[in-house]
Structure formats: C-alpha cells, structure tokens
Amino acid sequence: MIKKTIIKETKELFRDGRIKISGIIVLLLLGVSIWISNNKYKRSNEEFISAKIAERSVWENQGEKNPHSAAHYGTYVFKSKHPLSLLDQGVDKYTGTSIFLEAHKRNEAQYSNVADQTGLVRFGELSPDFILLFIIPLLIILSGYNSFTKEKEMGTMVLLRSQGVSFSKIILGKWMSIFFPICIIITSIFAIAGVLLFNIEGYAIFSWTSLGVLLIVYLFYYAVFINIVLFVSQHVKKSGISLVILLGVWIVSCLAAPKAASNFAESKYPYPTRQEFASKIVKAKKEGLDGHDPWNKEAKRLEKEVLLEYGVDSLQQLPFNFDAYRMQKGEEHQAIVYKNHYAALKKQFEKQADTYALISIISPFLPTRFLSMGIARTDYHSHWDFADASENYRIASQKFLNDNFAKNSKFGDWDYLANENTWKDLPKFEYQPLKLITVLKQQKFSMIALLVWGILTATLLFIFKPKN
C-alpha cells in the first residue's frame, strides 16, 4: 500500500501544473545561485592568493630597516573563504576579509563585501542558502498542503479507511512522495557543488565529509517541514485553510522567529559601543608599561629589575639593547590588555550565541541556520577563530622583530638596520579553518534542537491522528 500511495501521490504532483512550474523555478534559481556563488568563490580564491603573495613580497622586499620601523610598517593577513561558503555565505559578507597587523595595536577585520556594494544589498541577494532555507520549505508547503484535505473533500479518505488500509501507511506513502523529489533535487545540487569545489585549484582543502554532513542537516530540516505540512493537512478540513495556516507557520518560523531571537539576545547581552570599548583599552594601556616611554613608572621599575638581574650599573653595560627589550615588554603588556578585553567581548558573544541556541527550539529554521553556517565555516565562531589566529601571529611577529633589535644592537643605537634577509625569516601566516568535529561540538545544542523538532513533529504526525 505504501508503494501504491507513493506512485499515486507522485503522479498527482507531476500532473499539477503549479507544482511543476514551481519546481522548475526553484531548480533554476538553485542552479543560477550555485553558478553565481561558484564564480564569486573562484574570484575570491584568486584575489586571496594574489593578495597574499603580493603582501608577502612587499614585506620581504623592505630592504635594510630598523626592526621597530618594520613593526610599525606592518603587514596584512587575509581570510580565505572556506569551500562550503559557496553554499552558505553566512556572515562572511559582513565581517571583513583582511586584518592589518602593526605594533602596539590590535586591529579588526576590514573590507567586507557589503561595503563595496550598493544599498540594494540590504534587500538580499540570490544565494544557495537563501533558496535552501527559505524557498524549499515553501515548495514543500505547496506540494503537501492538500495531501489529506483533498482526500476529505473528494471523499476518498473514507473509502480507503473502509477498505482496512492502515492510516500510518497512507501517511508514510504521502510523506515519501514529497520527500523523495526534494531529496533527489537537493542531493543533485550538492553533488554538483561538490564536483565544482573539488576541481577548483587553490589554497583550500575541500571535504566531502563536511558537504555530506551539511546535506544531512538540510534533508532533516525538510523532513521536519514535511511532518508539519502533513500534520496540518491531516487536521484541517479545507485545503485553503491548510494553505493559510502553513504559510503562517513559514512566516513565523523563517522570518519572525529569527528576528525576535536576534533582538532578544542583543537586548539581554548588548555589546559595548566601539567608543566605550576603545576607551577602556586606552585606559588599561596607560596603567601598565609603555614601551616607548622610558620615564614611565613601570618602565623605570623594569629598568631597575634588569640591572639587578644582570649585575650591572648602567643600561649601556647590558649585553642587549634595553630600548628594544623595554618595547617588547610593552608589547607583552598591551597584548594582555587586548586579550582580556577581547575575551570579555567574546564572552558577550558566547552569551548571545547561547541565548540564540536556547531560543532556537521555537523554530526549526534557527538550528538549521546555525548548523549550516557553522559547517560552512562562515559563522561568528569561525570569524573569531581567524581574528584570534591573526592576533597570535601579530604578537609572535612583534617578538621576532624586537628580539632582533635587542640582540643585534646596543642601548641607544637607534641607527641599527636589519639586513634585507631578516624579513624572509619571519614565518608566513597560515590559517587553518576549524575542524568539523570542533564545529559540531560548538553547535551541539543546535543539533539537539533540530533532532527534537524531528522527533516532536514525527510523533505529532504518526501518533496524534485525526478522529475522523
């Protein structure tokens, strides 16, 4: 009976002109969005490689220069796009793609994609994640809103039940008739995206495992929507009423709930303003060692400690340049200041993220959205990881330069110039995106929330059956 139901429902779906036209439109939109996203990804890949090589060349060809001057001269590091950003751009278009590394200061990412676009970008853009998250559920609603109501309206449901057909088998047959076409379309699109990514030459290592996990997440999301659609169709007598209710569910789940969750999390754990954050850092810096100010209280204390440690009477007698040594200690103090303040900022972000996760139980859209961005490495967790890796590299670079200055010159020798090969000895910045297992640990509550939605809606569909 399940097989016959699947065949019957599938035939009816393909006979329905609305479904055929809608399916073709969605398929075309997905194809076009994949093509556009693929071109953007390849262009971004090429720009990243070109910028990375060019910036390293500029750094290595500075010529003879004082190491501290080179530290202020600085360099850029660039954020590579993860291959799966082809399917879900997440927050990458808002967060910036490069960070300028310089002495005494931690900078934030700059040059986001949105900054280079017109105001029309606020209305959204055609991207695979938009189709996958918003449009496919609409197609599911259109395909299944009258699955049971049409049987009631035509009187065929009573006929089926009178012949002793199991209601569970009818439900399963109708469920599969909606899920299989969606599964085939989405799996095909993901396979095409995988082939495109696998054949792109570049810096990124493509993972079929990550792509497969992302596919499973979306298929589970669609399964939840199918459960909801069939449940409503079961318990409503008219197709028009069923459609209106399901469109209301889509609006609440995909539009209202995300905005409400965002507003609630931000109001409960607000970020400080940029001015407040910057002023706190400036104040904390002044309370410690200033590497450029030899008369600073902490600088004089450091001077006494070093003279005592080496058993000498003057800074000139030290076996290294104390100016460079003091600047390195100043860098270490400032690095701690930045670390502490950014840790507090990150803590606030984590509280917001946890709040989002808790609220995600109100809509299957939210956990799917978080999982999708996480697996694609385009969420804020991934951005924070890149920013922290950049800061660690900046700290290591400053130590490399200050140590060179201290070891190869004497106190007061600000005319010292490091040879041109010095810059080549600084290790290159290499960033490795978060591993899949790390992402899944970060998104464990979202996985639980989506699983709960699956179990809850399946229970409602198969257990709470209509009385007539």
Side-chain angles (χ1 to χ4, degrees):
M1 188 61 203
I2 294 176
K3 183 178 179 181
K4 290 181 180 179
T5 304
I6 294 174
I7 294 172
K8 175 215 173 236
E9 292 292 328
T10 303
K11 284 182 179 179
E12 289 185 357
L13 282 176
F14 280 99
R15 285 173 185 166
D16 192 330
R18 295 169 302 173
I19 302 298
K20 284 196 291 187
I21 293 172
S22 301
I24 291 170
I25 291 174
V26 169
L27 196 57
L28 285 173
L29 287 175
L30 262 176
V32 171
S33 65
I34 289 289
W35 178 71
I36 293 173
S37 189
N38 180 57
N39 288 337
K40 285 183 177 180
Y41 176 78
K42 288 197 291 186
R43 184 168 64 251
S44 174
N45 187 7
E46 292 167 359
E47 290 173 352
F48 168 79
I49 295 172
S50 175
K52 184 178 178 181
I53 293 173
E55 186 62 21
R56 183 65 186 189
S57 177
V58 169
W59 172 260
E60 291 183 353
N61 292 285
Q62 295 180 77
E64 293 187 346
K65 183 182 287 186
N66 183 280
H68 195 67
S69 296
H72 280 284
Y73 181 72
T75 187
Y76 279 93
V77 293
F78 302 94
K79 183 182 180 182
S80 61
K81 288 184 74 67
H82 192 273
L84 291 185
S85 64
L86 183 146
L87 291 171
D88 192 340
Q89 295 183 44
V91 300
D92 274 6
K93 50 182 174 283
Y94 304 106
T95 54
T97 56
S98 63
I99 298 178
F100 182 59
L101 309 182
E102 60 179 323
H104 316 308
K105 188 176 181 182
R106 174 172 179 169
N107 295 311
E108 297 180 5
Q110 308 174 70
Y111 311 117
S112 64
N113 292 334
V114 169
D116 296 329
Q117 298 180 24
T118 66
L120 292 174
V121 72
R122 71 183 61 187
F123 297 104
E125 58 181 333
L126 184 62
S127 59
D129 57 290
F130 175 76
I131 307 297
L132 293 169
L133 285 163
F134 291 93
I135 306 302
I136 298 295
L138 278 177
L139 181 61
I140 291 172
I141 290 173
L142 187 61
S143 301
Y145 77 95
N146 63 348
S147 287
F148 287 95
T149 53
K150 68 183 177 184
E151 305 283 4
K152 297 174 187 177
E153 290 167 348
M154 293 187 297
T156 52
M157 180 59 71
V158 176
L159 181 62
L160 288 171
R161 297 299 299 274
S162 66
Q163 292 178 345
V165 178
S166 170
F167 194 60
S168 295
K169 289 183 178 180
I170 296 175
I171 295 173
L172 193 58
K174 290 180 177 292
W175 193 95
M176 289 182 175
S177 68
I178 300 174
F179 181 76
F180 284 161
I182 296 293
C183 181
I184 291 170
I185 292 172
I186 300 305
T187 303
S188 300
I189 290 295
F190 271 64
I192 292 170
V195 171
L196 290 173
L197 291 168
F198 184 76
N199 288 290
I200 291 177
E201 295 182 2
Y203 61 91
I205 300 175
F206 170 66
S207 168
W208 284 101
T209 303
S210 292
L211 182 67
V213 173
L214 186 60
L215 173 62
I216 291 171
V217 168
Y218 275 110
L219 291 179
F220 202 91
Y221 174 55
Y222 301 143
V224 170
F225 256 96
I226 294 172
N227 292 343
I228 295 172
V229 168
L230 293 182
F231 176 76
V232 172
S233 186
Q234 269 185 26
H235 292 80
V236 174
K237 293 181 179 181
K238 299 292 183 180
S239 298
I241 297 175
S242 175
L243 180 59
V244 170
I245 291 173
L246 288 169
L247 287 176
V249 170
W250 178 83
I251 291 170
V252 171
S253 296
C254 299
L255 300 178
K259 186 62 178 176
S262 173
N263 290 341
F264 179 76
E266 289 177 6
S267 63
K268 188 173 183 181
Y269 300 106
Y271 284 128
T273 65
R274 184 180 292 271
Q275 185 177 2
E276 290 172 345
F277 185 68
S279 63
K280 287 179 180 179
I281 290 177
V282 170
K283 181 180 178 182
K285 279 184 177 182
K286 290 180 178 179
E287 292 173 353
L289 175 61
D290 184 346
H292 275 289
D293 182 7
W295 305 106
N296 175 268
K297 180 180 177 181
E298 292 298 318
K300 299 303 290 184
R301 184 182 62 80
L302 177 66
E303 179 181 324
K304 291 178 181 179
E305 290 178 354
V306 171
L307 290 175
L308 182 63
E309 179 183 353
Y310 282 85
V312 295
D313 299 324
S314 66
L315 298 177
Q316 288 82 356
Q317 294 176 330
L318 291 171
F320 53 84
N321 189 332
F322 182 76
D323 285 332
Y325 181 82
R326 184 184 61 245
M327 285 190 295
Q328 175 54 31
K329 291 300 180 181
E331 283 287 350
E332 291 173 5
H333 162 68
Q334 292 170 353
I336 293 173
V337 169
Y338 279 114
K339 181 180 179 180
N340 291 339
H341 282 77
Y342 273 89
L345 196 65
K346 190 174 181 180
K347 191 70 176 177
Q348 201 75 346
F349 154 71
E350 289 172 349
K351 288 179 180 178
Q352 283 193 5
D354 290 342
T355 304
Y356 278 134
L358 287 171
I359 299 175
S360 67
I361 202 68
I362 68 174
S363 165
F365 174 91
L366 289 169
T368 306
R369 168 86 275 191
F370 298 148
L371 280 166
S372 179
M373 290 193 300
I375 295 169
R377 309 329 190 263
T378 57
D379 62 347
Y380 276 112
H381 287 290
S382 294
H383 180 68
W384 272 106
D385 187 66
F386 168 72
D388 288 343
S390 301
E391 176 63 5
N392 291 336
Y393 180 76
R394 185 189 75 86
I395 293 170
S397 299
Q398 297 307 310
K399 179 171 173 54
F400 170 85
L401 295 170
N402 285 325
D403 285 352
N404 179 280
F405 190 12
K407 292 176 182 177
N408 296 291
S409 62
K410 294 292 185 180
F411 178 68
D413 184 12
W414 281 91
D415 293 329
Y416 165 71
L417 302 177
N419 65 61
E420 57 187 12
N421 291 324
T422 302
W423 324 124
K424 297 178 181 179
D425 294 334
L426 178 67
K428 297 179 181 179
F429 175 74
E430 298 292 344
Y431 173 68
Q432 294 297 323
L434 292 169
K435 294 182 179 179
L436 179 60
I437 187 66
T438 303
V439 170
L440 295 179
K441 287 179 180 178
Q442 290 173 343
Q443 300 292 340
K444 60 183 178 182
F445 195 91
S446 293
M447 290 191 292
I448 294 171
L450 191 58
L451 182 62
V452 168
W453 268 102
I455 295 172
L456 178 63
T457 54
T459 301
L460 289 173
L461 178 61
F462 286 96
I463 304 299
F464 292 92
K465 301 170 186 175
K467 294 181 181 179
N468 47 52

